[in-house]
Amino acid sequence: VQLVESGGGLVQAGGSLRLSCAASGTTFNINKMAWYRQAPGKQRELVAQITNSGRTNYVNSVKGRFGISRDNAKNTMYLQMNNLKPEDTAVYYCYIEGPLAYWGQGTQVTVSS
């Protein structure tokens, strides 16, 4: 399975970005899809996750601002990020979990104040 992320970039505080994660290869039996992020000098943290049933979960700092979704027909996951803050600056990684786990290569999100 390969994961290709896109949609990162530089945005001013209060702006929006939409990240995409396209999965190719054998994508059967994927249970969980998630977005993680890692800021410089910090540990990688879970930002949002979505299960096969569509149940979602978010880290408190992004609740009400970020929305995770998935299009199973396209094997693609999205992260809509609104009202971005400088503290959202990080490399964002997509992650899928089934019999095995896979990570994307990461996409940089930079929010200027």
Side-chain angles (χ1 to χ4, degrees):
V1 175
Q2 289 187 325
L3 303 178
V4 178
E5 298 141 342
S6 60
L10 173 64
V11 64
Q12 288 188 334
S16 298
L17 286 172
R18 188 194 195 204
L19 305 183
S20 298
C21 174
S24 61
T26 303
T27 56
F28 294 116
N29 298 321
I30 292 176
N31 178 32
K32 184 176 80 174
M33 301 183 78
W35 288 97
Y36 285 75
R37 68 185 178 187
Q38 188 167 19
K42 295 187 177 182
Q43 289 187 332
R44 190 172 297 189
E45 67 169 349
L46 175 64
V47 177
Q49 64 183 25
I50 183 167
T51 66
N52 262 347
S53 62
R55 185 171 63 186
T56 60
N57 189 40
Y58 299 90
V59 67
N60 286 338
S61 60
V62 307
K63 285 181 179 178
R65 300 188 297 122
F66 289 13
I68 188 171
S69 60
R70 59 193 286 180
D71 184 333
N72 291 331
K74 296 181 179 180
N75 289 329
T76 301
M77 175 178 62
Y78 305 96
L79 185 68
Q80 178 67 43
M81 305 185 294
N82 299 324
N83 190 23
L84 282 159
K85 303 177 180 181
E87 51 264 42
D88 295 318
T89 295
V91 178
Y92 284 70
Y93 298 89
C94 69
Y95 168 87
I96 64 171
E97 183 180 287
L100 298 175
Y102 301 89
W103 291 93
Q105 81 284 359
T107 184
Q108 177 70 46
V109 171
T110 303
V111 184
S112 63
S113 57

